[in-house]
Amino acid sequence: MIRGYGRQAVQAAEGPALSAGRPLMRWAAGGVAAAVRGELDGLGVPRSKARVLVLVGGGNNGGDGLFAAGLLAERGVVVSALLVREQVHADGLAFARRHGVRILVHAPDGAPALREEDSAGEAHSPIPDGVAWVREASLAQVWVDAMAGIGVRGGLRGASAAVVGVLDRLRQGQVRPARRVIAVDTPSGLSADGGVVSGPVLRADRTVTMGAMKAGLLLPPAAGLAGRVEVLELGLEPEFAAQAALVERLEAADVARLWPVPGPGDHKYTRGVLGVVAGSGTYPGAAVLTVGAALRTGCGMVRYLSKDGAVADRVLDHYPETVTTPGRVQALVLGPGLSDERDQDRVRERLAEVDELADAAGTPPPALVYDAGALSVLPQDPQVNRRRRAVLTPHAGELAELLSARGTPVDRARVEADPARWVRIAVEVTGATVLLKGAVTLIAGPSQAFDGGKGIRTGEVGLLSQADGSPWLATAGSGDVLAGILGALLATSEAPVPLLAAMAALVHGRAAHWANPGGPVTPSDFVRALPGTLAQVLTLR
Ligand SMILES: NC(=O)C1=CN([C@@H]2O[C@H](COP(=O)(O)OP(=O)(O)OC[C@H]3O[C@@H](n4cnc5c(N)ncnc54)[C@H](OP(=O)(O)O)[C@@H]3O)[C@@H](O)[C@H]2O)[C@H](O)CC1
Ligand SMILES: [K+]
């Protein structure tokens, strides 16, 4: 389980250690220097030819960068430090100078013109705009972004923003076999508290974040600018454990421990029965994908309940184990491949039938997955949806449509600019758990502390972020598969719905990856890959 923390929690966790004199900054700098050396090695750059540019801000983030610069210079790397503030971390600057780091001082008027310091630290007259530092940037194989970390306020502005603009142009313009950008703690300009991007950001290939994961690095769209994120342990785990996280991310080992694995006493009914109302004359394949995904995720039985004989035949051709007679279900998937008014009436009819059966048997109404065409038949009353375990699986456009239809006007672009905000609003408006599909899938739900045993404490936050897929997953039918996986889990497990939704998202992404690592994949491929993927995940129990 990865927990993402905001600025306040980080400062609260770091405070006592800093007061106790623990050299956190030195440790942080050591981690950054090691990451830079790793990138140089990865690029095959010999020490003798290695050049690094460190962008240094006026706070402790810049301090991390300056100490890292000194550590690299000590090991023979040619390091320049571009100070984007007149005042920088004094000890860090002294350390960097002492180890031969070349200091480039930013002109006070904020333009990217610079003054070059001589060895005595005396600043020369301003050198022509864009010469020394841009030349150094063009020669360096690694740029280290230490302009701002969790102390940033709002979007990057002033000299830092100007430097990002120049580097972006340099990056685009210059054909260079390889250059890597390493962000210190966070890419400068990103907030630790959220995923909104409100100014220029130097996209990183790798982020070394200190002490614990920052929430902003788990939340889109910011998460897309951080590259590969690694947490540099600073020995603060107990301090962070006492802090409230803003977002959580399940890992495969968590899914393994939470997965409803059948026991010797189980039979098809105790393993959970899932009903599927999906597929139509227009999109019969959606039914096949959803049923197939549910069967291969491993529930006790799948009832295909759409009374469309032709589609039912197609499903049975692929999955003869599908049951097509009505009967009680513990969960129901509504909507994949349904698109028009007639379909929506059929959803309402099927839903009424399964509720009646549950009522007659005195059992709770089935949990519900509302996908695609069924989103518009979600009951208006949030209390109704809150009472039954309901989860919606929209993409950003469907979420915008759903909220606008319920009196909260918003468009797709605004949802995509701050998805964490809008997925939470959707939970308030609908009363259901909401899984918002995207490159990073967000799940928000009624926060409900859950102890899954085996050390899994989750749910208090009410927001989960899963990034297990790849762009290859963005293909027609992918959502049908996810709905099937999620439905099977809801039919089989009593764990909180947000957790099951995050588990489904993780398995969905991993199955797509394992179906064809790094290459194109069809939803049918990843349906086939589900059993193997699950078996592989379950080895982590
Ligand atoms: N405390 C420690 O020993 C450790 C801290 N870690 C590192 O420190 C940072 C947090 O450092 P902090 O000094 O609180 O703030 P930052 O350095 O992150 O940011 C302040 C600088 O950023 C500039 N700033 C702020 N907002 C903007 C903006 N919108 N645009 C441009 N620049 C901005 C600010 O400039 P001002 O002019 O506003 O003063 C400062 O220059 C943390 O992230 C870690 O990297 C260690 O990792 C652990 C030990
Ligand atoms: K930074």
Side-chain angles (χ1 to χ4, degrees):
M1 167 80 67
I2 297 172
R3 288 186 172 84
Y5 295 92
R7 172 160 68 162
Q8 204 178 349
V10 173
Q11 289 169 338
E14 279 183 356
L18 290 168
S19 325
R22 274 153 70 177
L24 298 184
M25 188 170 281
R26 286 302 186 97
W27 294 344
V32 172
V36 173
R37 285 196 298 274
E39 290 303 328
L40 289 168
D41 294 347
L43 294 173
V45 178
R47 275 294 174 277
S48 58
K49 296 213 180 319
R51 298 180 81 105
V52 171
L53 174 68
V54 182
L55 309 169
V56 175
N60 289 322
N61 192 248
D64 290 351
L66 285 164
F67 278 111
L71 292 172
L72 288 162
E74 209 178 22
R75 308 271 286 257
V77 177
V78 173
V79 186
S80 299
L82 170 64
L83 314 187
V84 294
R85 282 287 182 285
E86 289 286 319
Q87 298 301 320
V88 296
H89 193 277
D91 290 353
L93 182 58
F95 183 83
R97 274 204 185 108
R98 207 165 45 250
H99 289 87
V101 172
R102 189 168 159 233
I103 303 298
L104 298 169
V105 178
H106 199 277
D109 63 6
L114 292 160
R115 285 206 298 268
E116 188 166 358
E117 274 196 347
D118 59 24
S119 52
E122 290 307 314
H124 292 308
S125 61
I127 51 172
D129 190 5
V131 178
W133 86 272
V134 178
R135 188 184 65 234
E136 195 43 52
S138 66
L139 294 174
Q141 298 95 355
V142 176
W143 299 339
V144 177
D145 172 9
M147 294 186 286
I150 64 170
V152 78
R153 293 173 310 283
L156 218 49
R157 62 181 187 285
S160 310
V163 164
V164 169
V166 172
L167 292 179
D168 271 346
R169 284 199 300 280
L170 192 64
R171 215 180 192 173
Q172 281 147 22
Q174 215 175 24
V175 180
R176 182 188 179 86
R179 171 180 294 114
R180 309 291 284 166
V181 175
I182 294 181
V184 176
D185 208 19
T186 61
S188 300
L190 295 187
S191 159
D193 297 339
V196 174
V197 179
S198 44
V201 175
L202 185 64
R203 187 179 45 74
D205 298 292
R206 184 169 170 180
T207 296
V208 180
T209 196
M210 313 307 170
M213 180 60 77
K214 307 306 181 293
L217 300 176
L218 296 178
L219 295 172
L225 295 171
R228 182 163 63 84
V229 180
E230 64 193 72
V231 175
L232 182 73
E233 301 302 350
L234 294 175
L236 299 172
E237 290 73 18
E239 288 81 354
F240 275 106
Q243 297 299 324
L246 300 179
V247 57
E248 295 175 327
R249 175 168 288 175
L250 292 187
E251 297 177 279
D254 305 307
V255 174
R257 283 178 291 189
L258 289 164
W259 198 266
V261 174
D266 274 312
H267 51 73
K268 64 187 171 198
Y269 293 109
T270 57
R271 287 194 60 203
V273 180
L274 172 68
V276 172
V277 182
S280 57
T282 319
Y283 303 107
V288 176
L289 289 169
T290 304
V291 169
L295 287 168
R296 287 201 158 104
T297 299
C299 54
M301 181 196 300
V302 175
R303 290 184 190 280
Y304 180 65
L305 295 174
S306 297
K307 293 181 177 165
D308 179 326
V311 176
D313 290 345
R314 303 288 289 270
V315 170
L316 287 167
D317 289 346
H318 285 79
Y319 302 105
E321 58 272 51
T322 312
V323 172
T324 53
T325 54
R328 278 176 42 209
V329 296
Q330 279 74 51
L332 191 56
V333 172
L334 304 166
L338 299 184
S339 52
D340 59 33
E341 284 291 317
R342 206 165 42 85
D343 289 334
Q344 284 151 18
D345 293 338
R346 285 163 53 195
V347 169
R348 289 190 186 92
E349 288 158 18
R350 297 298 85 73
L351 188 46
E353 286 162 8
V354 293
D355 278 354
E356 221 171 281
L357 286 170
D359 215 16
T363 52
L368 298 176
V369 178
Y370 287 91
D371 182 56
L375 287 166
S376 51
V377 301
L378 178 76
Q380 290 292 331
D381 180 353
Q383 286 310 332
V384 169
N385 303 320
R386 197 163 285 127
R387 266 201 307 278
R388 77 183 307 169
R389 302 168 79 222
V391 49
L392 321 182
T393 56
H395 53 60
E398 289 166 330
L399 185 63
E401 216 176 294
L402 180 124
L403 287 172
S404 302
R406 289 162 187 253
T408 309
V410 64
D411 62 20
R412 180 191 191 107
R414 284 178 61 209
V415 170
E416 287 173 337
D418 191 358
R421 173 172 177 241
W422 290 104
V423 73
R424 279 203 185 96
I425 289 171
V427 173
E428 292 312 310
V429 167
T430 65
T433 292
V434 181
L435 180 150
L436 176 56
K437 293 184 283 199
V440 176
T441 291
L442 292 186
I443 298 104
S447 59
Q448 174 192 358
F450 170 75
D451 187 341
K454 311 178 190 91
I456 292 183
R457 170 181 59 82
T458 176
E460 296 95 337
V461 173
L463 180 65
L464 291 136
S465 152
Q466 297 300 135
D468 310 281
S470 79
W472 294 112
L473 212 65
T475 167
S478 178
D480 304 336
V481 176
L482 177 63
I485 298 168
L486 179 50
L489 272 172
L490 278 171
T492 318
S493 166
E494 287 301 315
V497 178
L499 213 51
L500 295 177
M503 290 164 69
L506 183 140
V507 168
H508 182 246
R510 286 177 82 101
H513 173 77
W514 288 115
N516 182 24
V521 64
T522 70
S524 302
D525 296 333
F526 44 103
V527 168
R528 273 191 288 275
L530 275 169
T533 302
L534 273 172
Q536 191 240 6
V537 166
L538 293 176
T539 57
L540 303 171
R541 273 172 88 80

